[in-house]
Amino acid sequence: MSLKEVDLTGGESVYCINRSQLKRAFDLVHANPASGAKINALLAQVEQDFDRNERAALSFILVDRLLKSRVK
């Protein structure tokens, strides 16, 4: 049985990531040896095992969960 592929491109914007947030994320990956190693290892595994839409779905779900779990 073949599942129909779900296209995750296009559509109305829901979340916005600003340049400062993106820079801090890259800084964490590139300037923090412990965090960078863990993140890069996981990225390599995800990029090997998941197709583009699966990676997009994972990233969207992670962002959504992070927003919902904000410390107040």
Side-chain angles (χ1 to χ4, degrees), residues 14-15 17 56-72:
V14 177
Y15 303 115
I17 299 169
L58 176 61
S59 62
F60 298 155
I61 297 301
L62 285 172
V63 168
D64 185 66
R65 287 184 179 188
L66 286 168
L67 289 171
K68 289 177 180 173
S69 68
R70 283 188 181 168
V71 178
K72 296 182 182 190

Side-chain angles (χ1 to χ4, degrees), residues 6-9 46 50-63:
V6 177
D7 185 12
L8 297 179
T9 60
V46 167
F50 289 27
D51 67 23
R52 185 180 188 281
N53 275 340
E54 291 166 337
R55 292 191 314 266
L58 176 61
S59 62
F60 298 155
I61 297 301
L62 285 172
V63 168

Side-chain angles (χ1 to χ4, degrees), residues 2-64:
S2 176
L3 296 176
K4 182 180 178 193
E5 185 173 321
V6 177
D7 185 12
L8 297 179
T9 60
E12 185 177 332
S13 293
V14 177
Y15 303 115
C16 183
I17 299 169
N18 66 45
R19 290 180 191 265
S20 176
Q21 291 169 312
L22 187 58
K23 181 188 180 313
R24 288 192 308 260
F26 277 106
D27 288 347
L28 183 64
V29 171
H30 297 296
N32 184 309
S35 293
K38 291 191 309 188
I39 294 168
N40 281 315
L42 185 57
L43 280 173
Q45 188 68 44
V46 167
E47 288 175 341
Q48 176 182 327
D49 294 346
F50 289 27
D51 67 23
R52 185 180 188 281
N53 275 340
E54 291 166 337
R55 292 191 314 266
L58 176 61
S59 62
F60 298 155
I61 297 301
L62 285 172
V63 168
D64 185 66

